Amino acid sequence: MNPIVGNNVGSDQGAIQAAFPGEYKGFAPIGRGSYAKVYRAEDNYGQTVAIKVIDVRNMQKEIIPYMQNEMKLLSESDNKNVIKLFKSHQSPDKLILVLEYCFLDVEFMVKRYYKGKLPDNLVIIILRQLANGLSYLHKNKIIHRDLKLENFAVQLTVEDQDALQKRNDLTVFERATYKLIDLGLAKKLGDLTAQTSTWAGTELNMAPEILNEEKYSFQADMYSLGVCLYYMVAGKYPYFDPTNRTPLQDLIKQENADLNLIPNIQLRSLIQKMLKFNPKQRLTFQELYQHEFLKYREGDLMNPLDLELDSNQVIYSQRIEDSTFEDVRTEQQLIQQYTTNQYRIDQQQTFEKKSDVKQDFSSSQQQQYCNFVQPDTEIQQYPIISSEYKNVFPNNTYDPIKKQNDQIMQLYHIKNQYAAIMKLADYLEQIIPIVKGTKLDFFTMESKFNMYIEYLRMVSKQLYLKLKQRFQFYQPSLGSFDRYQLLEKQVKQEDQIKFDNIKIKEGDSSGMISWFNKKVFKSIKCEPHDSLNFNQQYQQNNIELYKELLKMLQDTFYKYQDDSDPKLKRIKCLLYLSMINTARSRVLFQVELQNVDYKAEELLLTKARDEPDTLSEKVTSILAQYNLNYD
């Protein structure tokens, strides 16, 4: 029996209903702490939330400031990678927080689904999101002070929850959103150079300067982040003496963690720098943002996180002042300026339809996220709540019409479409000169590949124009205005240069034999970008191109007995890279939008771009993952 189930369920539910009459239903207990109980519930729009009920009567007075601290910070949070507080309510008996619902935490994910260790690519995905969440806190001069795996929540879509439970599909974790939770020990400082001395956190994850009761600053978060990354990769803490004979401070000072447990050299080097005993020698957040894991390379596929990480660098490159972000227009102003009543009505109807969808989880599957309180040393930041309770914190109302990232992902999806197609055209262009004069060359090879290149670039430009048109005005359902603004800047300024010299032709092309030999290439018709014919045409041409590449790849094995020739190896790599992007672009035309962080995949492709066998495995995995058939 779930330990939370008992006589208090009814009273907690009654308290929630009294605080928010008729707003929530379908209560299910999902976890508990010393003073807090957490329930999963559903609002009137079908949105699942986590409701945290804190019993004030049985709580030590010293812990109440932590609750106040958490409520205040979460109510101000506005970042995809920091848990959101939708509503709050205070009474003499209880504090009630309505929070984003997350399916589980990283600690449970590591132990339950990965047997204690995560693959490198997933660690990089999690690192990028945690860095973004921390940057948001640091921008607001907040140090977290309790970074640990159980304080990293994992948010999955309903579809991915179902895929995980029914098929044990672990790829859902590559699409998940990772959020910092439990800001009970977080503290606001004057700026990024300010220090504090409060002993706070979880010992095995604490920075040595906190353990030694010295003054510390934001570099303490860096150390704790390093401990978390080490644990995710190695399956254990970097410094831990089960006999308790050696103090943790002394173990940390020796800096002799077994780094050989981290196979990825780049990740190993990064973690080693994070775990430096001396904060002055430790990796800084500015240096972290210069690392390849976080930097976006031109031409890579991307998601909203890439541009956000890129913009975060300003946080660590200069001293943060209150005025730094004051000149940015607020999202509310933009909503008032651009939103029409009809748009809201349409969106409302959409969400009402969604509200009919229910989640049905068995009790054995309810090992969920619980934003537990960490009662530690007293902090003097906030006064203890008086006997006259007042709801002094913002009562943030969740607006389903402004659901974050769902529609802005469509913009990134279009950008990824033309990025993959442009990259494919570039690879084909590299193939032509290296194949000419070899055993793989044939009479119409150059003209045929040039025609594919021309076609691909025209399709890319058509998609680019489609995306550019979407920036006519901002709508609240697009999500974060910061992300919208960053993407608009890249599309209209940086990407514009790539497409200036590309002309879109229509009708028959003449003078190239291969053009007439291929039925699907008798005409290039870049029809209206949302037309079914346009998508079908690309799917058909994509299949034809893949077959051409596959035939040439097969010829590399049939026509060459000795495969040690470096030139042949390069040809194979280019063919595989072309096939990868051919499959990628086809996937981007036919699958539903997913919150995929392509960075880890791009890093692996960059590392393997000269290894034909590795690239071959990547082609196979894409075909299998998306059930692509090129017969």
Side-chain angles (χ1 to χ4, degrees):
M1 183 176 181
N2 193 309
I4 196 174
V5 178
N7 296 330
N8 288 331
V9 174
S11 62
D12 284 345
Q13 183 172 333
I16 296 169
Q17 295 287 20
F20 311 108
E23 294 187 40
Y24 301 101
K25 58 187 176 181
F27 295 92
I30 57 176
R32 68 180 300 165
S34 301
Y35 306 98
K37 298 174 184 177
V38 181
Y39 302 87
R40 190 184 71 234
E42 198 174 87
D43 66 13
N44 293 327
Y45 298 101
Q47 173 78 11
T48 304
V49 297
I51 303 181
K52 181 176 179 179
V53 181
I54 302 158
D55 189 345
V56 176
R57 294 169 301 178
N58 298 324
M59 182 184 293
Q60 298 172 359
K61 291 183 179 180
E62 290 80 7
I63 298 173
I64 293 178
Y66 290 107
M67 293 295 92
Q68 291 181 302
N69 193 36
E70 183 174 16
M71 289 174 68
K72 184 177 188 299
L73 295 177
L74 289 178
S75 68
E76 296 172 350
S77 169
D78 185 25
N79 181 273
K80 181 183 177 184
N81 301 117
V82 178
I83 199 74
K84 279 188 182 300
L85 173 66
F86 297 139
K87 294 185 178 184
S88 63
H89 179 81
Q90 294 176 249
S91 74
D93 298 332
K94 299 179 186 294
L95 302 180
I96 302 175
L97 309 182
V98 181
L99 300 152
E100 280 186 294
Y101 172 78
C102 294
F103 190 62
L104 69 163
D105 60 47
V106 171
E107 181 183 47
F108 182 76
M109 180 186 84
V110 170
K111 294 177 179 178
R112 166 65 175 80
Y113 295 102
Y114 288 96
K115 299 180 180 179
K117 297 180 183 180
L118 297 183
D120 295 347
N121 68 315
L122 186 53
V123 173
I124 295 170
I125 288 171
I126 296 173
L127 165 63
R128 283 161 47 77
Q129 296 198 37
L130 296 181
N132 186 50
L134 282 173
S135 293
Y136 179 80
L137 296 183
H138 294 174
K139 180 182 78 172
N140 291 283
K141 309 163 191 175
I142 297 168
I143 180 173
H144 189 284
R145 302 199 299 185
D146 198 20
L147 297 178
K148 54 186 178 182
L149 299 194
E150 61 200 84
N151 282 346
F152 304 150
V154 185
Q155 189 177 66
L156 299 173
T157 64
V158 174
E159 294 77 16
D160 279 347
Q161 290 175 28
D162 187 65
L164 180 64
Q165 292 176 327
K166 293 184 178 179
R167 304 190 300 276
N168 199 38
D169 181 3
L170 300 188
T171 64
V172 302
F173 293 120
E174 297 176 12
R175 301 186 292 272
T177 300
Y178 297 88
K179 295 178 179 285
L180 296 172
I181 64 173
D182 201 341
L183 302 187
L185 297 182
K187 185 172 183 178
K188 192 159 188 171
L189 302 179
D191 56 44
L192 289 183
T193 63
Q195 293 184 313
T196 185
S197 57
T198 308
W199 201 91
T202 304
E203 192 170 5
L204 284 172
N205 295 74
M206 273 186 193
E209 55 267 33
I210 302 180
L211 287 168
N212 290 330
E213 300 184 53
E214 301 169 351
K215 289 186 176 182
Y216 60 90
S217 188
F218 292 87
Q219 283 296 88
D221 275 351
M222 178 63 77
Y223 182 88
S224 298
L225 181 60
V227 173
C228 295
L229 294 178
Y230 185 97
Y231 194 102
M232 283 188 270
V233 180
K236 65 178 186 177
Y237 287 102
Y239 304 109
F240 175 63
D241 180 7
T243 66
N244 291 322
R245 294 176 181 174
T246 307
L248 183 58
Q249 297 95 316
D250 294 343
L251 291 174
I252 295 173
K253 194 171 185 177
Q254 294 172 14
E255 296 187 6
N256 61 354
D258 188 358
L259 297 171
N260 291 323
L261 296 175
I262 307 173
N264 186 304
I265 296 176
Q266 288 178 299
L267 196 56
R268 181 193 308 172
S269 174
L270 189 68
I271 293 173
Q272 183 180 27
K273 294 174 183 176
M274 289 179 170
L275 295 179
K276 286 293 182 182
F277 178 84
N278 186 342
K280 294 181 180 179
Q281 297 176 354
R282 195 175 301 154
L283 186 79
T284 66
F285 279 93
Q286 184 177 6
E287 290 170 336
L288 175 62
Y289 267 82
Q290 294 301 312
H291 196 276
E292 187 178 2
F293 290 165
L294 271 66
K295 294 193 74 173
Y296 169 69
R297 289 198 312 270
E298 188 63 35
D300 284 353
L301 302 190
M302 67 188 315
N303 74 348
L305 182 63
D306 289 288
L307 288 181
E308 194 160 340
L309 287 170
D310 189 56
S311 70
N312 287 345
Q313 296 188 53
V314 69
I315 298 170
Y316 304 107
S317 61
Q318 61 186 29
R319 183 183 177 91
I320 296 181
E321 301 293 346
D322 290 332
S323 61
T324 303
F325 301 92
E326 286 179 356
D327 58 345
V328 179
R329 288 178 295 172
T330 66
E331 190 170 303
Q332 281 299 320
Q333 290 172 322
L334 289 159
I335 291 172
Q336 294 171 5
Q337 183 177 358
Y338 295 119
T339 305
T340 62
N341 290 333
Q342 185 59 49
Y343 184 83
R344 284 184 172 275
I345 291 170
D346 292 342
Q347 291 297 306
Q348 180 73 24
Q349 291 172 347
T350 300
F351 277 93
E352 286 175 353
K353 290 179 181 178
K354 284 188 176 181
S355 66
D356 295 332
V357 181
K358 308 295 180 185
Q359 297 181 62
D360 185 18
F361 304 123
S362 67
S363 59
S364 64
Q365 295 167 329
Q366 290 179 352
Q367 180 67 33
Q368 314 290 359
Y369 136 76
C370 178
N371 195 7
F372 290 143
V373 181
Q374 297 295 330
D376 278 299
T377 313
E378 178 181 359
I379 54 177
Q380 301 298 325
Q381 262 178 285
Y382 299 97
I384 295 176
I385 298 178
S386 66
S387 58
E388 296 182 2
Y389 288 86
K390 296 180 181 179
N391 195 9
V392 296
F393 303 107
N395 191 11
N396 293 342
T397 303
Y398 175 72
D399 183 359
I401 299 172
K402 201 180 72 174
K403 193 174 182 182
Q404 291 285 328
N405 301 308
D406 280 4
Q407 294 190 45
I408 200 170
M409 280 303 299
Q410 294 178 9
L411 307 186
Y412 282 87
H413 192 78
I414 297 170
K415 180 171 174 59
N416 285 335
Q417 284 178 323
Y418 70 65
I421 294 171
M422 284 291 282
K423 186 175 284 189
L424 171 57
D426 290 341
Y427 283 133
L428 294 181
E429 196 169 45
Q430 294 177 50
I431 287 174
I432 295 173
I434 198 172
V435 168
K436 284 184 67 174
T438 68
K439 297 179 183 179
L440 304 175
D441 196 3
F442 55 93
F443 179 63
T444 59
M445 185 275 295
E446 185 173 3
S447 61
K448 182 178 291 187
F449 272 62
N450 277 325
M451 192 53 61
Y452 276 112
I453 293 167
E454 182 183 13
Y455 170 75
L456 292 170
R457 287 179 174 160
M458 283 192 281
V459 170
S460 297
K461 182 158 187 177
Q462 190 75 348
L463 291 167
Y464 169 78
L465 294 174
K466 171 185 178 179
L467 180 55
K468 193 174 178 181
Q469 290 172 5
R470 296 286 293 273
F471 289 104
Q472 298 300 317
F473 60 90
Y474 172 74
Q475 296 172 340
S477 59
L478 287 170
S480 167
F481 176 68
D482 288 343
R483 289 177 174 171
Y484 173 91
Q485 191 178 46
L486 287 166
L487 182 60
E488 182 183 30
K489 178 182 176 182
Q490 187 177 68
V491 169
K492 289 188 174 181
Q493 295 180 19
E494 299 172 24
D495 287 356
Q496 176 72 48
I497 301 171
K498 307 174 194 174
F499 294 99
D500 279 343
N501 297 324
I502 297 176
K503 306 297 181 185
I504 296 178
K505 304 175 185 176
E506 293 192 11
D508 293 338
S509 217
S510 59
M512 298 186 181
I513 297 175
S514 61
W515 189 267
F516 295 101
N517 288 341
K518 286 292 177 183
K519 181 179 180 181
V520 294
F521 278 118
K522 284 187 176 178
S523 66
I524 292 181
K525 291 184 178 179
C526 291
E527 297 150 339
H529 33 250
D530 287 322
S531 73
L532 180 62
N533 288 340
F534 179 82
N535 291 345
Q536 288 178 338
Q537 182 196 58
Y538 184 78
Q539 292 280 352
Q540 192 174 10
N541 294 345
N542 181 282
I543 293 171
E544 293 297 323
L545 173 57
Y546 188 92
K547 289 179 179 179
E548 292 286 354
L549 294 168
L550 181 60
K551 182 179 182 303
M552 187 175 286
L553 179 66
Q554 291 170 339
D555 286 344
T556 64
F557 294 97
Y558 298 147
K559 296 184 178 182
Y560 286 86
Q561 299 298 322
D562 183 10
D563 61 356
S564 62
D565 183 359
K567 186 175 182 179
L568 179 62
K569 182 179 179 181
R570 180 60 184 154
I571 291 173
K572 286 183 178 180
C573 287
L574 285 172
L575 289 170
Y576 279 128
L577 288 167
S578 299
M579 292 167 72
I580 287 170
N581 281 281
T582 304
R584 262 184 170 182
S585 59
R586 182 180 174 188
V587 167
L588 288 166
F589 266 88
Q590 68 182 35
V591 301
E592 293 183 4
L593 300 180
Q594 296 175 323
N595 185 28
V596 178
D597 187 348
Y598 294 99
K599 183 63 176 181
E601 184 178 86
E602 296 285 358
L603 289 168
L604 293 174
L605 280 178
T606 301
K607 184 178 179 181
R609 62 188 313 112
D610 296 320
E611 299 297 331
D613 292 341
T614 305
L615 293 173
S616 172
E617 293 173 4
K618 179 60 183 174
V619 173
T620 305
S621 68
I622 291 178
L623 298 182
Q625 181 178 354
Y626 296 102
N627 195 27
L628 297 181
N629 189 344
Y630 279 104
D631 294 335

